[in-house]
Amino acid sequence: LIKTASDPEETVRVEVLEAIQSAFMQKTECITPKLIEVLRERFLDKKFSVREKAMIAASKVYYKLQQCKDMDKTELAELQDMFSGVPDKVLVCYYHQSAEDQLAVERCVFVDLVPVLASDQ
C-alpha cells in the first residue's frame, strides 16, 4: 500500500486510501506510523478527490479511536497520540484555495470531529 500511495493514477491513490481506512476500521492493530504518514501526505495531493478521501479516512479513524473503549489502555493511548494531529491537519486544508476543500473540511468537522470534542466535555 505504501508504494502505490504515490502512484501517478488518481484512482489508485484513492483506492489505497480506502483500503487504509477499511483496514484501520476493522483492525486497529493494522495502524502503523508509515500508514499514518501516507494519510498525511495525501492531504497535500494535487487532486481534490484524493485530498477529500484522505481527510475523510483520517477523521473517521480519529473518531473511531476516540470512541473505542474496549482496547488496552496503553495501546489505545499510543494510537490516539499518533492521530492527535488529525483535527489540526484537517482544519489546515480549509485554507486551500478551492471551495470544494472547504466543504470537505466542514463535512469532516461536523460529522467526525465535533461529536468527539463535544463528548469529551
Side-chain angles (χ1 to χ4, degrees):
L1 285 177
I2 294 171
K3 291 181 182 179
T4 56
S6 57
D7 191 277
E9 185 65 35
E10 173 184 357
T11 55
V12 172
R13 295 191 308 266
V14 170
E15 291 293 325
V16 166
L17 294 172
E18 288 175 356
I20 290 172
Q21 177 186 350
S22 66
F24 286 177
M25 298 302 270
Q26 291 174 7
K27 289 190 171 193
T28 53
E29 303 89 44
C30 296
I31 300 174
T32 65
K34 287 190 178 201
L35 288 176
I36 294 169
E37 189 59 35
V38 167
L39 276 177
R40 288 183 178 152
E41 287 173 2
R42 296 300 101 204
F43 273 80
L44 303 174
D45 200 275
K46 290 189 279 185
K47 298 291 185 175
F48 168 71
S49 63
V50 178
R51 287 192 311 268
E52 179 184 36
K53 189 61 189 171
M55 282 188 272
I56 291 170
S59 63
K60 292 218 176 286
V61 173
Y62 177 82
Y63 180 79
K64 181 183 180 192
L65 286 175
Q66 298 304 317
Q67 301 300 321
C68 189
K69 303 297 181 206
D70 59 342
M71 288 179 61
D72 179 44
K73 292 196 185 287
T74 56
E75 182 183 344
L76 181 62
E78 286 178 17
L79 292 174
Q80 287 175 341
D81 284 344
M82 284 192 239
F83 274 88
S84 64
V86 167
D88 296 334
K89 197 78 167 155
V90 169
L91 290 174
V92 165
C93 292
Y94 190 80
Y95 295 104
H96 290 180
Q97 297 295 321
S98 168
E100 293 172 326
D101 283 312
Q102 293 173 349
L103 290 172
V105 168
E106 289 175 4
R107 196 173 320 123
C108 288
V109 167
F110 291 123
V111 172
D112 295 317
L113 302 179
V114 169
V116 169
L117 299 174
S119 67
D120 287 345
Q121 295 176 354

